[in-house]
Amino acid sequence: MEQDIYLFHQGNLRYSYQLLGSHKDTQHGIPGIRFAVWAPNAKQVSVVGMFNNWDGRQHPMKKWNKEGIWYAFIPGLETGMMYKYEILTAHGHLSLKSDPYAFSSEQRPHTASIIYPLDHYTWNDEEWLMQRKQRNIYESPMSIYELHLGSWKNIESEVFYTYREYAGRVIPYVKELGYTHIELLPLTEHPYDRSWGYQATGYYSVTSRYGTPDDFRYFVDQCHQSGIGVLLDWVPGHFCKDEHGLRKFDGETLYEYANPRKAEKSQWGTLTFDFARNEVQSFLISNAIYWLKEYHLDGLRVDAVASMLHLDFGKNDGEWEWNEYGGRENVEAVSFIKKMNEAIFEEVPNTLMMAEESTSWPLVSAPTYSGGLGFNYKWNMGWMNDMLEYMEIDPIYRKHHHHLLTFSLMYAFSENFVLPISHDEVVHGKKSLLNKMPGDYWQKFANLRVFLAYMYAHPGKKLLFMGGEFGQFDEWKDMEELDWKLLDYNSHASIFNYIKQLHQLYRDMPALWELDHKEDGFFWIDPHNNEQSIIAFARNSRSSNDQLVVVCNFTPEVYHHFKMGVPEQGFYKEIFTSDAEHFGGSGQTNGLLLETDPVPSHGQNQQITMTIPPLGVSFLKRTSVTKEAEHEK
């Protein structure tokens, strides 16, 4: 215990949730609950709850050490009882605070912490965890379905299913679509539904909106048993100012910076964690490990990393200060991020640590020993912004913006990238993914198909926010469920089927994922045809037999007898096209084998003559089957 206390104050206690908070204990043969809280500036701390009529005089805590850990043992308390800490500040003010380390909390709008030991759930995902240890995450397919539970489906507005009920609904749906992972918007306890979990108060409490901690464990367990990984959106950059939370926890700035220019995130109305403070480091690093260990999560998507790294993020002149070296970087945040990632990969190898980092900060997904931040993935925000800008342009004018299609390949292998089309891109007036697309009704769906096919052919792992998989017309409505009725219409059902088949292609073709992060996995055939808005490239796997040629047309023009360079002699077969009639396309397909001619074209030694579909993508694969054999078949 003394060693743990020492490590906590040194910023090196990776399991501080086992020291602090409320835990079952037995003292002098009597069972009860042990409480511990860090409040160095408090004059007095008491445990209050229904068990003592919220009377702070009944169970005062003792100060464990001069650094400010308070503790108490209360016999006879049981799982499910509510409590808070009553804190007498140095200024004589009494405040009631939720436990920063509580494992469960009251459902909003109530704010009490709940005693909830995490020792009585039996996991059944051993096979998944064993496979995870052996999996090469960089050379495996990864397609992530991002969802917000409360607005995926609900009973009615602000009335939700439980984690267990969501398991029975979400898992078969995601499995049918062919995704490899689910990514959940933040589930740490938060007071305001419309913050979507990004402004938390209970960092160790899975939100009670959908049930108990064991209910969420069941959800994760069932996902794993069904072969689906689970990622959680995690927010270490800032926290909300609600009175019962971390803000001025013991009457003084404690979890946040004392300097308001560093503490305030005015654009979000939140406070920044003090990354230089050792106890805050223990709190946050332990929290990441807690979610990975106690809930068997497969990884964390770390929110708003840019806001942690840059002192001037979202701020005007005069609202921030240069660091001690005269730079804009938050030096202690950089150090903390590296320390956090080192700890996580030591404690939970094969974890996915994904940074939402929106600037050109170098080596985000490189190891710390080579100068990187230590994540193993970074969201490719540059690709996302360029592609959405490009897709919203009328096809007539796309030839003037061709660089938006191709620029991402200039840096595609500088990081381990995820290509994200997330919730942030389909909310607050940005329109849904389908409704961003120009043209008439048919062209909107065709544009969506060509965009998604290019996304899955482009190097990098994939992420798509819920609703995009069936072409929701309205942007995300965070207080209502998805427009499931759209699946009754052929165009939307066709997009749903298209995503299923695109995932099947993606999983079956190692060229689309095996060398995602290596330059050997990609080469251009023709990146320069801006006049026709056509691009062509090849994707490679470790086996030359798996090579794919991908041809994309971003205009509604059909091109028959088009000469396209290819790398190998022989016959090419169109194994997938976004323009197939059963996807709602026009049916301009290449049904017969395409035989090469020994004519140099597009820098290749061979060429084929093919049909290029309107607003369509063709995936071509060299085959050993002859044209005669194909005809006989």
Side-chain angles (χ1 to χ4, degrees):
M1 188 71 76
E2 293 302 320
Q3 178 69 5
D4 285 348
I5 293 172
Y6 171 79
L7 291 173
F8 174 72
H9 292 302
Q10 293 297 307
N12 295 320
L13 184 59
R14 297 175 177 179
Y15 293 86
S16 59
Y17 61 90
Q18 295 175 355
L19 171 70
L20 299 164
S22 61
H23 298 272
K24 290 195 298 186
D25 200 359
T26 299
Q27 295 190 10
H28 307 295
I30 301 173
I33 300 294
R34 169 177 51 85
F35 297 88
V37 64
W38 175 57
N41 301 298
K43 290 179 66 176
Q44 179 59 55
V45 183
S46 298
V47 184
V48 296
M50 296 182 68
F51 47 85
N52 61 15
N53 294 316
W54 303 94
D55 184 351
R57 296 170 297 181
Q58 298 297 313
H59 295 103
M61 304 180 79
K62 297 178 180 179
K63 206 167 188 178
W64 207 328
N65 60 4
K66 60 182 176 57
E67 289 85 8
I69 293 180
W70 300 75
Y71 78 97
F73 173 78
I74 304 178
L77 300 191
E78 298 177 353
T79 296
M81 288 186 171
M82 293 181 291
Y83 70 99
K84 280 189 177 183
Y85 295 120
E86 182 185 87
I87 296 176
L88 178 63
T89 72
H91 306 288
H93 175 69
L94 274 180
S95 63
L96 285 177
K97 291 286 188 176
S98 300
D99 186 349
Y101 285 88
F103 297 151
S104 184
S105 300
E106 265 192 300
Q107 189 169 159
R108 50 89 178 100
H110 304 294
T111 59
S113 300
I114 296 174
I115 298 169
Y116 199 102
L118 297 177
D119 59 357
H120 51 275
Y121 182 83
T122 303
W123 288 91
N124 294 288
D125 61 349
E126 296 84 2
E127 182 178 352
W128 171 269
L129 297 180
M130 184 61 65
Q131 292 174 352
R132 190 175 75 182
K133 287 180 181 179
Q134 301 167 353
R135 186 181 301 126
N136 183 332
I137 58 175
Y138 307 105
E139 298 185 2
S140 300
M142 188 188 306
S143 180
I144 304 164
Y145 184 66
E146 185 191 38
L147 77 153
H148 175 254
L149 282 179
S151 58
W152 186 76
K153 278 188 179 179
N154 56 45
I155 298 169
E156 59 184 77
S157 181
E158 299 185 77
V159 181
F160 310 114
Y161 295 105
T162 67
Y163 292 113
R164 292 175 184 265
E165 291 169 330
Y166 277 120
R169 290 164 170 81
V170 170
I171 293 171
Y173 181 80
V174 171
K175 194 170 179 64
E176 179 185 1
L177 282 166
Y179 285 95
T180 64
H181 290 74
I182 291 169
E183 181 176 303
L184 298 159
L185 267 61
L187 292 176
T188 46
E189 193 59 81
H190 51 284
Y192 183 46
D193 286 2
R194 304 203 74 172
S195 78
W196 314 329
Y198 288 96
Q199 297 191 11
T201 50
Y203 270 74
Y204 288 82
S205 293
V206 65
T207 180
S208 54
R209 286 166 175 79
Y210 316 121
T212 68
D214 283 348
D215 291 337
F216 181 54
R217 285 168 147 183
Y218 175 87
F219 178 93
V220 176
D221 200 356
Q222 292 298 307
C223 284
H224 286 172
Q225 291 180 56
S226 298
I228 297 169
V230 184
L231 310 174
L232 181 65
D233 208 334
W234 185 60
V235 190
H238 61 116
F239 58 89
C240 68
K241 296 181 177 180
D242 288 58
E243 184 62 30
H244 67 281
L246 299 177
R247 177 178 175 269
K248 290 194 173 182
F249 184 78
D250 60 2
E252 307 293 337
T253 55
L254 190 65
Y255 286 89
E256 69 269 39
Y257 282 111
N259 181 347
R261 292 190 176 188
K262 293 181 76 171
E264 290 287 343
K265 279 191 165 61
S266 55
Q267 68 183 111
W268 296 325
T270 55
L271 294 169
T272 306
F273 281 102
D274 183 349
F275 300 113
R277 193 151 197 168
N278 290 339
E279 293 85 355
V280 172
Q281 293 177 24
S282 289
F283 175 82
L284 288 173
I285 291 171
S286 295
N287 188 244
I289 292 171
Y290 165 81
W291 288 106
L292 297 167
K293 284 277 197 176
E294 300 297 335
Y295 290 94
H296 290 200
L297 295 178
D298 300 282
L300 301 173
R301 178 266 194 186
V302 183
D303 178 63
V305 172
S307 77
M308 300 168 68
L309 296 173
H310 299 277
L311 294 167
D312 60 340
F313 181 89
K315 295 185 177 181
N316 300 315
D317 290 345
E319 295 178 346
W320 61 281
E321 298 172 355
W322 302 94
N323 65 32
E324 58 266 43
Y325 306 106
R328 289 180 165 84
E329 302 81 16
N330 187 331
V331 176
E332 58 260 27
V334 175
S335 177
F336 163 76
I337 288 171
K338 293 180 178 181
K339 180 178 180 178
M340 172 191 73
N341 282 323
E342 288 172 356
I344 287 169
F345 287 117
E346 286 178 13
E347 298 293 334
V348 199
N350 288 81
T351 292
L352 292 165
M353 289 297 291
M354 298 181 170
E356 189 227 0
E357 204 288 310
S358 55
T359 71
S360 57
W361 191 282
L363 303 176
V364 171
S365 59
T368 57
Y369 58 75
S370 61
L373 289 181
F375 294 97
N376 51 12
Y377 276 96
K378 174 181 176 176
W379 274 25
N380 193 336
M381 309 295 279
W383 172 87
M384 178 273 295
N385 284 313
D386 284 352
M387 281 307 301
L388 292 184
E389 180 182 346
Y390 180 83
M391 293 308 300
E392 291 191 70
I393 297 169
D394 189 302
I396 295 174
Y397 304 111
R398 283 177 178 168
K399 63 183 179 181
H400 303 301
H401 305 272
H402 196 69
H403 65 285
L404 294 173
L405 271 182
T406 59
F407 180 67
S408 59
L409 272 304
M410 297 292 289
Y411 61 87
F413 308 105
S414 63
E415 302 273 5
N416 300 326
F417 279 121
V418 173
L419 308 183
I421 300 298
S422 74
H423 64 281
D424 277 332
E425 313 318 319
V426 294
V427 74
H428 296 325
K430 295 179 183 178
K431 298 186 290 189
S432 72
L433 190 55
L434 176 65
N435 226 5
K436 293 177 190 288
M437 305 298 162
D440 59 24
Y441 187 82
W442 184 88
Q443 288 182 350
K444 280 184 176 295
F445 282 92
N447 270 302
L448 180 57
R449 289 193 300 271
V450 69
F451 168 73
L452 290 170
Y454 180 48
M455 174 181 176
Y456 275 75
H458 190 289
K461 308 310 181 187
K462 325 299 176 187
L463 180 143
L464 184 65
F465 184 58
M466 64 183 195
E469 75 277 8
F470 59 80
Q472 179 152 314
F473 259 115
D474 288 348
E475 68 176 19
W476 177 36
K477 297 166 286 191
D478 57 7
M479 301 298 283
E480 301 176 31
E481 69 175 17
L482 295 180
D483 293 332
W484 295 106
K485 61 183 180 296
L486 292 177
L487 282 168
D488 294 334
Y489 297 87
N490 287 338
S491 296
H492 298 275
S494 294
I495 287 290
F496 180 87
N497 186 50
Y498 177 69
I499 287 286
K500 285 173 58 176
Q501 297 303 312
L502 191 58
H503 274 132
Q504 187 68 54
L505 172 76
Y506 175 65
R507 292 196 311 272
D508 289 348
M509 295 295 157
L512 295 177
W513 42 262
E514 194 171 54
L515 299 178
D516 257 337
H517 313 305
K518 299 182 185 298
E519 293 187 14
D520 293 346
F522 176 96
F523 66 87
W524 281 115
I525 294 175
D526 184 10
H528 303 301
N529 189 353
N530 64 299
E531 284 298 323
Q532 293 172 301
S533 297
I534 291 173
I535 58 173
F537 54 90
R539 293 297 308 274
N540 294 327
S541 72
R542 297 199 180 281
S543 169
S544 60
N545 294 328
D546 291 329
Q547 185 182 77
L548 291 178
V549 171
V550 184
V551 183
C552 308
N553 176 14
F554 289 90
T555 74
E557 296 296 321
V558 184
Y559 297 98
H560 298 289
H561 311 296
F562 193 94
K563 307 296 184 182
M564 176 60 66
V566 292
E568 302 287 344
Q569 181 182 3
F571 294 92
Y572 280 80
K573 181 177 183 179
E574 185 176 73
I575 61 170
F576 186 90
T577 174
S578 66
D579 196 48
E581 289 184 357
H582 57 272
F583 296 144
S586 64
Q588 299 295 323
T589 63
N590 294 277
L592 299 176
L593 290 180
L594 306 172
E595 186 174 4
T596 61
D597 294 319
V599 178
S601 179
H602 300 114
Q604 310 300 312
N605 293 324
Q606 303 286 321
Q607 73 172 16
I608 55 174
T609 302
M610 65 178 296
T611 295
I612 297 183
L615 293 172
V617 176
S618 295
F619 290 79
L620 308 174
K621 191 173 188 295
R622 193 166 66 90
T623 177
S624 58
V625 177
T626 65
K627 188 175 288 188
E628 291 76 14
E630 180 75 5
H631 181 72
E632 291 175 5
K633 186 173 69 173

